[in-house]
């Protein structure tokens, strides 16, 4: 029987960027936008607040774009300060690259295993799905989901009792499956 686990975000991740006021390296996004129109051109930013001093920084979303080329529903969501739009934009690798930022997902996600009835079986087949592109070590997910220590999970990998098509040593943010034999 295939068990389905889901890695779900619980809040917006921290934005890793150096503050020019206090030299802190972490900003928090709360879903606020600033939109500025210049006749037929528009600029839009996602506002983030420094965790150290509270200084506001802007992440460029749109820069000198023709107003007519922007979807009206996107503008409406920005004007409404939609936190869902902020989450979508923070997931966008182009936006992160353009603004020279990275994301810190520590404490911003949870693993939903659907219960603990799978823990007493000899063989466990699990499909892990990511609700957002959250980079997590598979060893950590398996340890948390099965109630094992990370060292025990790594021992099971070495013994060949834990197998997967993905490399279990690094970080993944895409769906994967694994089989655990006890």
């Amino acid at each position: 029987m295939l068990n389905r686990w889901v890695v779900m975000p619980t809040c917006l991740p921290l934005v890793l960027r150096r503050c020019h006021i206090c030299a802190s390296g972490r900003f928090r996004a709360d879903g606020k936008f600033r939109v500025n129109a210049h006749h037929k051109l528009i600029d839009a930013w996602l506002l983030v607040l420094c965790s150290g001093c509270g200084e506001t920084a802007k992440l460029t979303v749109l820069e000198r774009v023709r107003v007519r080329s922007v979807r009206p529903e996107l503008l409406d969501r920005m004007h409404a300060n939609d936190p869902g739009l902020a989450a979508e934009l923070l997931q966008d690798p182009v936006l992160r690259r353009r603004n020279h930022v990275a994301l810190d997902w520590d404490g911003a996600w949870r693993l939903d295993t659907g219960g603990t009835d799978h823990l007493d079986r000899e063989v466990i087949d699990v499909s892990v799905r990511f609700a957002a592109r959250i980079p997590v070590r598979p060893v950590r997910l398996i340890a948390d989901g099965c109630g094992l220590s990370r060292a025990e999970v790594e021992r099971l990998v070495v013994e060949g009792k834990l197998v997967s098509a993905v490399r279990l040593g690094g970080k993944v943010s895409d769906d994967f499956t694994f089989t655990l034999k006890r």
Side-chain angles (χ1 to χ4, degrees), residues 94-119:
V94 174
L95 181 121
R96 290 197 315 260
R97 194 173 26 254
R98 179 189 315 149
N99 289 284
H100 307 289
V101 298
L103 301 179
D104 180 8
W105 282 98
D106 287 345
W109 61 274
R110 69 180 173 87
L111 177 63
D112 182 13
T113 61
T116 59
D117 60 334
H118 63 279
L119 296 178

Side-chain angles (χ1 to χ4, degrees), residues 144-159:
D144 290 350
C146 294
L148 304 170
S149 69
R150 289 187 203 169
E152 193 171 354
V153 171
E154 289 173 359
R155 181 183 54 79
L156 290 169
V157 170
V158 170
E159 292 175 358

Side-chain angles (χ1 to χ4, degrees), residues 27-40:
F27 284 78
R28 56 184 162 70
D30 57 359
K32 300 249 189 278
F33 291 89
R34 177 159 185 247
V35 180
N36 193 9
H38 308 280
H39 302 288
K40 294 180 182 179

